[in-house]
Amino acid sequence: MNETITLETMPKAMAYLITKVEALEKALMEKSETPTAPADRWMNIDELKAYLPDHPAKATIYGWVSKREIPYHKGGKKLRFLQSDIDKWLSNGKRKSESELKDEADKYCETRKIG
């Protein structure tokens, strides 16, 4: 609709705009209904090696599995790793900052009974 709008073409232009707005509303509603969370996925050892930030050697990953340091699933002779488990494992290794440790210590001291 690239023509000049006059008083006579106003109803046609309004109808055109209304249909476009309705189409946009429908597209937005469909988009908001689709889940945005990524689906959890299974990884083999090579995919895990590529997924981990420091890309450890396979031998390192096998060592973690044998020491039960990393979450894994075993089906037959194959190792499988669930991405959500790996993400939790990675976040559990986070070290707290000094301010976080101080806040924890303050909360602990407030809840302890003295004497």
Side-chain angles (χ1 to χ4, degrees):
M1 189 116 212
N2 293 335
E3 58 192 59
T4 304
I5 298 174
T6 63
L7 196 53
E8 290 81 25
T9 60
M10 182 70 73
K12 183 180 172 185
M14 287 299 292
Y16 175 78
L17 288 174
I18 289 170
T19 58
K20 287 295 187 181
V21 169
E22 288 173 347
L24 283 171
E25 283 178 339
K26 183 180 175 187
L28 285 172
M29 291 300 287
E30 289 173 359
K31 182 127 180 115
S32 67
E33 291 174 2
T34 57
T36 56
D40 210 3
R41 70 180 185 109
W42 290 97
M43 297 181 283
N44 62 28
I45 197 159
D46 292 319
E47 292 168 327
L48 176 68
K49 182 179 157 185
Y51 181 73
L52 290 173
D54 50 352
H55 307 291
K58 279 186 180 182
T60 302
I61 296 172
Y62 284 124
W64 292 339
V65 168
S66 70
K67 293 177 188 174
R68 299 183 185 271
E69 293 178 2
I70 190 169
Y72 68 95
H73 300 264
K74 193 167 182 181
K77 292 185 175 187
K78 294 191 177 202
L79 291 173
R80 292 184 180 88
F81 305 89
L82 196 57
Q83 184 175 343
S84 61
D85 291 344
I86 298 302
D87 290 339
K88 287 177 198 169
W89 177 70
L90 287 170
S91 65
N92 285 341
K94 176 187 175 278
R95 303 239 177 189
K96 295 181 181 177
S97 68
E98 285 188 36
S99 62
E100 289 172 324
L101 290 171
K102 184 183 179 314
D103 290 343
E104 260 186 40
D106 290 342
K107 285 179 188 175
Y108 177 79
C109 291
E110 288 172 8
T111 60
R112 298 289 297 173
K113 292 182 181 178
I114 299 175

